[in-house]
Amino acid sequence: MTGYKFGSLMGAFRESSANDNTKYGRNVLGSLAKIEANPEKSKYLETVTTDILGSEIDLVNLRKETYVEASRNPIMEFGSPEVDASRRDSTVNALFYNLQTSEIED
């Protein structure tokens, strides 16, 4: 699922009647700003920026990256949470929110 699709689903949930009695109401999620992939400008990944509770965040899809000798740019495919987490370096640059358990997974 792309970051834009995920953000759109978050927005639909915010507007649904199931969200009427939340602690924060309907002002949790700001508008979505979609930044398209543009390989000609070395922008290989679609990103979506939004505001959640006053903090700007980026939404992107979980991905798998494969490198070939002829290029420094990876070939990207959709990936699982485990594959996406394993490709990241040791800095804190991703937390996963489990919609089914309402828990943050590191």
Side-chain angles (χ1 to χ4, degrees):
M1 176 183 310
T2 66
Y4 185 76
K5 175 73 172 171
F6 182 73
S8 297
L9 291 172
M10 286 173 53
F13 177 75
R14 175 195 61 198
E15 297 301 323
S16 75
S17 60
N19 196 29
D20 283 342
N21 297 317
T22 65
K23 179 178 178 180
Y24 301 103
R26 295 176 187 253
N27 297 322
V28 173
L29 180 68
S31 61
L32 301 177
K34 184 177 180 182
I35 304 160
E36 297 283 352
N38 186 351
E40 292 79 31
K41 302 274 185 176
S42 295
K43 172 78 173 107
Y44 293 91
L45 185 65
E46 172 194 291
T47 24
V48 174
T49 299
T50 191
D51 179 279
I52 295 182
L53 297 174
S55 296
E56 188 175 303
I57 65 162
D58 293 331
L59 303 172
V60 296
N61 61 281
L62 300 173
R63 64 189 184 273
K64 173 183 177 182
E65 295 178 346
T66 306
Y67 290 86
V68 294
E69 260 187 63
S71 175
R72 291 180 24 186
N73 298 320
I75 299 168
M76 287 185 270
E77 306 170 58
F78 284 101
S80 67
E82 294 81 12
V83 168
D84 187 75
S86 70
R87 71 175 184 77
R88 296 181 182 275
D89 57 28
S90 61
T91 61
V92 177
N93 57 10
L95 295 174
F96 300 96
Y97 183 74
N98 188 321
L99 295 174
Q100 294 177 336
T101 63
S102 299
E103 295 178 344
I104 295 175
E105 299 175 1
D106 187 6

